[in-house]
């Protein structure tokens, strides 16, 4: 173990990042001290699915980093409430734009509204999808064409629609970031539709990265696992009642599925997404990054 003096010196160590002029990362900074500047001040971000859960947490993280953020979702009441709360915390307005990403015309209207409210879109975070893990997945006999296509139309085609809509502006500007929130079902069995939609998001991500990367646009995806959001207490309570156990036991079981043995919070997933939207993430492109706390017994390479 390093001595106290050595530890103190390490906490003050700085590293200059040559690829990003003027960027300085503080290694091991103490809480309340220096922090990494993600260089997002003034960047314009559009977060779909931003009215709740991971999307809302991403919007909060980007606002905290100085970005101008608009959020979009279908439920207008929830959307306006989220925008008001985010704006109050950030000290500046957060535009709320209604959208159904399963509809071409609605996405075109979203892009026009974002252009009008923000002046353009530098960062797109795709997070508009049905939350996984809140109900048992459909078994093979239960899967219908409607259930499949309604899910894929929103999460896969919806993500693609939004990327198509904002990519021309990013290419023209010579810089952009597109981050899609996928899920660990891409890497495991248990939900036929869940695996298909999330694998498709990863495949789309790599294809878009290959096409847009030469123009300064990085495209990545993240794979959260079970994640604590505002909906989690209700899910835990329902499962506890069905199983005849205390809610704390259900949470313990959920947390036991990852290596940290804690339930990953939406803000922790948002921190990963925020870094991927930053100019500092330029070396990461076309990747799908797991951020569910680590899966026991699995080697991926």
């Amino acid at each position: 173990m390093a001595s106290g003096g050595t530890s103190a010196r390490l906490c003050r160590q700085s590293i200059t990042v040559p690829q990003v002029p003027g960027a300085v990362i503080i290694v091991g900074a103490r809480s309340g001290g220096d922090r990494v500047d993600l260089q997002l001040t003034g960047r314009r971000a559009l977060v779909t699915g931003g009215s709740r859960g991971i999307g809302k947490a991403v919007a909060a993280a980007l606002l905290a980093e100085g970005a101008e953020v608009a959020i979009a979702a279908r439920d207008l009441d929830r959307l306006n409430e989220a925008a008001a709360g985010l704006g109050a915390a950030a000290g500046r307005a957060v535009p709320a734009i209604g959208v159904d990403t399963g509809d071409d015309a609605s996405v075109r209207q979203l892009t026009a509204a974002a252009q009008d409210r923000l002046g353009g879109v530098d960062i797109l975070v795709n997070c508009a999808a049905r939350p996984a893990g809140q109900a048992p997945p459909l078994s093979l006999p239960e899967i219908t064409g409607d259930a499949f296509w309604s899910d894929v139309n929103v999460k896969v085609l919806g993500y693609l629609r939004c990327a198509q809509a904002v990519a021309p502006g990013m290419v023209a500007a010579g810089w952009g970031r597109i981050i899609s929130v996928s899920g660990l079902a891409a890497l495991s069995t248990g939900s036929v539709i869940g695996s298909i939609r999330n694998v498709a998001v990863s495949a789309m991500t790599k294809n878009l990265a290959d096409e847009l990367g030469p123009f300064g646009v990085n495209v990545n995806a993240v794979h959260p696992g079970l994640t604590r959001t505002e909906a989690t207490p209700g899910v835990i309570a329902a499962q506890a009642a069905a199983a005849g156990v205390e809610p704390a036991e259900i949470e313990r079981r959920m947390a036991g599925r990852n290596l940290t043995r804690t339930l990953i919070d939406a803000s922790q997933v948002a921190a990963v997404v925020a870094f991927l939207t930053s100019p500092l993430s330029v070396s990461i492109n076309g990747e799908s990054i797991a951020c569910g706390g680590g899966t026991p017994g699995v080697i991926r390479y």
Side-chain angles (χ1 to χ4, degrees):
M1 181 177 292
S3 68
T6 301
S7 177
R9 287 195 297 273
L10 287 173
C11 285
R12 291 192 296 269
Q13 181 182 356
S14 299
I15 298 176
T16 301
V17 182
Q19 295 88 344
V20 186
V24 176
I25 297 179
I26 308 301
V27 178
R30 292 188 179 91
S31 176
D34 294 319
R35 58 192 291 275
V36 177
D37 178 6
L38 295 185
Q39 301 177 11
L40 291 173
T41 299
R43 299 285 185 182
R44 302 160 299 182
L46 173 61
V47 181
T48 69
S51 65
R52 62 181 177 176
I54 292 172
K56 184 178 177 183
V58 168
L62 296 180
L63 285 163
E65 292 294 335
E68 299 300 321
V69 179
I71 61 173
R74 283 187 293 189
D75 187 325
L76 293 181
D77 290 339
R78 180 183 288 150
L79 179 65
N80 289 325
E81 182 180 353
L86 289 166
R92 58 189 185 278
V94 174
I97 307 170
V99 68
D100 175 3
T101 59
D103 180 77
D104 290 343
S106 184
V107 171
R108 287 194 294 270
Q109 292 167 2
L110 166 67
T111 309
Q115 177 70 38
D116 180 61
R117 303 293 295 275
L118 297 177
V121 176
D122 305 307
I123 296 163
L124 168 67
V125 179
N126 278 318
C127 196
R130 287 187 177 87
Q134 295 186 7
L138 298 177
S139 65
L140 183 59
E142 295 171 324
I143 295 171
T144 64
D146 286 345
F148 177 85
W149 287 115
S150 64
D151 215 342
V152 171
N153 182 44
V154 172
K155 186 155 192 179
V156 182
L157 276 176
Y159 283 14
L160 181 60
R161 289 182 184 101
C162 292
Q164 283 179 312
V166 301
M170 294 179 180
V171 169
W175 193 92
R177 295 288 186 268
I178 299 173
I179 314 298
S180 293
V181 177
S182 185
L184 283 178
L187 305 175
S188 62
T189 60
S191 170
V192 173
I193 294 177
S195 290
I196 290 172
R197 71 175 189 169
N198 288 323
V199 168
V201 170
S202 287
M204 178 185 71
T205 293
K206 179 58 174 135
N207 276 275
L208 295 185
D210 280 16
E211 184 169 344
L212 300 176
F215 301 98
V217 181
N218 283 35
V219 187
N220 291 292
V222 295
H223 290 321
L226 278 173
T227 303
R228 187 190 303 280
T229 69
E230 61 270 26
T232 302
V235 173
I236 289 176
Q239 291 188 14
V245 298
E246 292 297 317
E249 172 59 18
I250 296 297
E251 180 160 347
R252 186 192 66 78
R253 294 176 189 178
M254 288 179 169
R257 299 180 194 177
N258 72 55
L259 296 176
T260 70
R261 299 299 190 265
T262 61
L263 201 53
I264 300 300
D265 189 80
S267 64
Q268 294 166 323
V269 176
V272 177
V273 175
F275 176 74
L276 292 174
T277 68
S278 163
L280 300 183
S281 71
V282 66
S283 63
I284 305 172
N285 202 4
E287 303 294 339
S288 293
I289 299 171
C291 52
T295 305
V298 173
I299 298 173
R300 300 189 181 100
Y301 60 93

